[in-house]
Amino acid sequence: MRVALAALIIIEEEDAFATNGPAVHLFGQSVTEFQCRIARQLGAGHFVILAERMPLTLMTAVDRLRRDGIIAEIVRTPHDAADHIHPDEQVLLFCGAVVPHPAVAADVTAIPGLVLLTVKGGPGTESEFRINGEANWAGLAALPGTMIRETSAMLGDWDFASTLLRRAVQQGARLVPARDDAALVPVQDADHALSRSRTLLGQQPASPTDGIVATWINRAGSWLAPHLLRLPALIPLADPAPASVAIAGVAAAAAGSSVTGLALMLLAGLLEAVARPLASLPIGRFRGLGHFRRLWRWMAGAAIAASGLHLSWTSGDHAALVAALWLASLLRPLPGTRPWYADASGALLFTLTGMASGYPLIGLALGIAHALASRLDAERRPKP
């Protein structure tokens, strides 16, 4: 049976909610807000924020969470925090302004029992959360609810987080080394938050079935995505933009503007590559991207077919229509997970190059040859 998950966030870095300046933000959210959304993405049912004071910036962040259905309770003492946590719950603990990738937090919660995420210790790594001579606590842990309650009951003048750490180590907590220590340094200022946001975006792996052209488009998207961080207001537009541009591309191709339509289709692929790493992070609902990915090959095929139809209509050469329909039919995904280099982006690029240069049949022929060669190569590979 799956154990219910709760999130406990201990605000250690007071500068994150300074009253004399703006809060540090990642993707337009405060650090605490982002931590809550990570926990929500992992299935947390309720959220407790332990803070000694409640500045306006923290209250504003909690209000934004509430509008998205995330009810976070702010408490002032460890005893109050323990009262909001059930003994049978597993607690995902964030201490300070640590901002892990959701995949890292998921690995921590997937391990049963006491789990502490660690970074390298030793000389030159002074930390108040030292575990031993080789490891320091990174500020992320998975603990049973009973430990939260028992620790709060025994507190005197001790620090709550340090006491939790000491008791977890004494009870044989599993130490999980972090893959990237630098990525778990607590966020302290706006420049550090921007750098951490870029690191989070860079941790999104590419699809193993991407073709050559799509791979380069994905690389361009990964390079462009961090620039959105300086304009957080544009982030919500990353979800509907690919589908909207693709629909415009199909419409333009159907209206006779083949070059414009095919160029818009390639632009839609680039916008999807920009939005893809954003969709893996808890910064909003990216429902449009899912629909776009399912329909991408069909829309690309429709744009190519529409371009061939218009060319055939205006020139009277039916070979263009036959070639376009053939290429569009080859855009069906191959079975299994074998790589396919003739992706929809490649077909669009060949067709666009031919249309723009005045040799549309050559562009379509190259696209067909590429697709057939790729299909033959994939079919010759042993099935997994």
Side-chain angles (χ1 to χ4, degrees):
M1 174 182 282
R2 181 178 176 86
V3 179
L5 181 66
L8 173 59
I9 298 168
I10 302 177
I11 297 181
E12 291 274 336
E13 303 292 338
E14 295 294 342
D15 290 340
F17 288 105
T19 55
N20 57 354
V24 175
H25 284 85
L26 299 96
F27 307 103
Q29 306 175 56
S30 70
V31 171
T32 300
E33 189 177 352
F34 193 78
Q35 291 169 333
C36 285
R37 294 185 188 277
I38 290 175
R40 172 65 175 271
Q41 185 170 307
L42 298 180
H46 70 275
F47 312 84
V48 181
I49 301 172
L50 176 57
E52 293 185 358
R53 58 194 182 94
M54 292 185 285
L56 179 61
T57 47
L58 175 57
M59 302 301 296
T60 302
V62 171
D63 288 340
R64 285 196 298 266
L65 290 170
R66 193 182 303 274
R67 287 196 295 269
D68 288 341
I70 302 175
I71 309 302
E73 301 289 343
I74 303 176
V75 297
R76 305 291 294 273
T77 68
H79 300 284
D80 293 335
D83 289 340
H84 286 79
I85 294 174
H86 194 277
D88 294 334
E89 287 181 316
Q90 183 188 31
V91 179
L92 179 61
L93 173 65
F94 295 87
C95 182
V98 59
V99 183
H101 191 278
V104 175
D107 290 342
V108 171
T109 58
I111 302 173
L114 297 169
V115 183
L116 298 173
L117 186 68
T118 66
V119 293
K120 293 180 181 178
T125 59
E126 296 299 327
S127 172
E128 60 178 313
F129 298 132
R130 183 177 299 278
I131 296 175
N132 52 43
E134 299 179 352
N136 298 332
W137 183 37
L140 183 70
L143 308 172
T146 52
M147 176 171 285
I148 304 296
R149 286 176 165 264
E150 292 169 358
T151 304
S152 67
M154 63 179 289
L155 278 179
D157 295 328
W158 303 329
D159 178 72
F160 185 44
S162 299
T163 306
L164 278 174
L165 172 61
R166 185 174 67 253
R167 296 194 70 229
V169 173
Q170 290 172 349
Q171 295 184 25
R174 180 170 178 177
L175 306 183
V176 178
R179 292 188 292 268
D180 185 359
D181 291 2
L184 292 168
V185 175
V187 176
Q188 299 175 351
D189 53 40
D191 289 339
H192 190 187
L194 180 60
S195 174
R196 182 69 189 116
S197 300
R198 288 173 171 168
T199 303
L200 288 169
L201 289 176
Q203 290 179 258
Q204 171 68 10
S207 170
T209 58
D210 282 341
I212 294 175
V213 177
T215 297
W216 283 103
I217 289 178
N218 289 337
R219 291 180 180 177
S222 298
W223 180 81
L224 289 171
H227 293 278
L228 284 177
L229 303 178
R230 297 189 180 276
L231 297 170
L234 295 180
I235 291 178
L237 300 178
D239 183 40
S244 300
V245 173
I247 292 172
V250 174
S257 301
S258 299
V259 173
T260 301
L262 295 172
L264 286 173
M265 292 300 298
L266 285 173
L267 176 60
L270 176 61
L271 292 175
E272 191 272 339
V274 172
R276 185 186 303 174
L278 294 171
S280 69
L281 299 173
I283 56 178
R285 298 178 179 179
F286 287 81
R287 296 175 178 174
L289 284 182
H291 298 300
F292 174 83
R293 291 166 186 161
R294 287 191 294 271
L295 298 175
W296 168 235
R297 291 184 183 276
W298 298 102
M299 290 190 292
I304 292 173
S307 299
L309 176 61
H310 180 264
L311 180 63
S312 176
W313 180 270
T314 56
S315 65
D317 186 359
H318 299 301
L321 176 59
V322 173
L325 291 175
W326 189 5
L327 179 55
S329 70
L330 291 173
L331 295 184
R332 298 191 310 272
L334 293 181
T337 58
R338 295 187 294 272
W340 183 28
Y341 303 111
D343 58 343
S345 299
L348 288 167
L349 182 61
F350 279 119
T351 306
L352 174 61
T353 302
M355 294 284 184
S357 63
Y359 299 96
L361 286 177
I362 294 179
L364 289 168
L366 288 174
I368 292 171
H370 190 199
L372 288 174
S374 298
R375 293 187 74 90
L376 178 62
D377 175 68
E379 290 171 359
R380 289 167 59 93
R381 293 172 182 268
K383 293 183 179 181

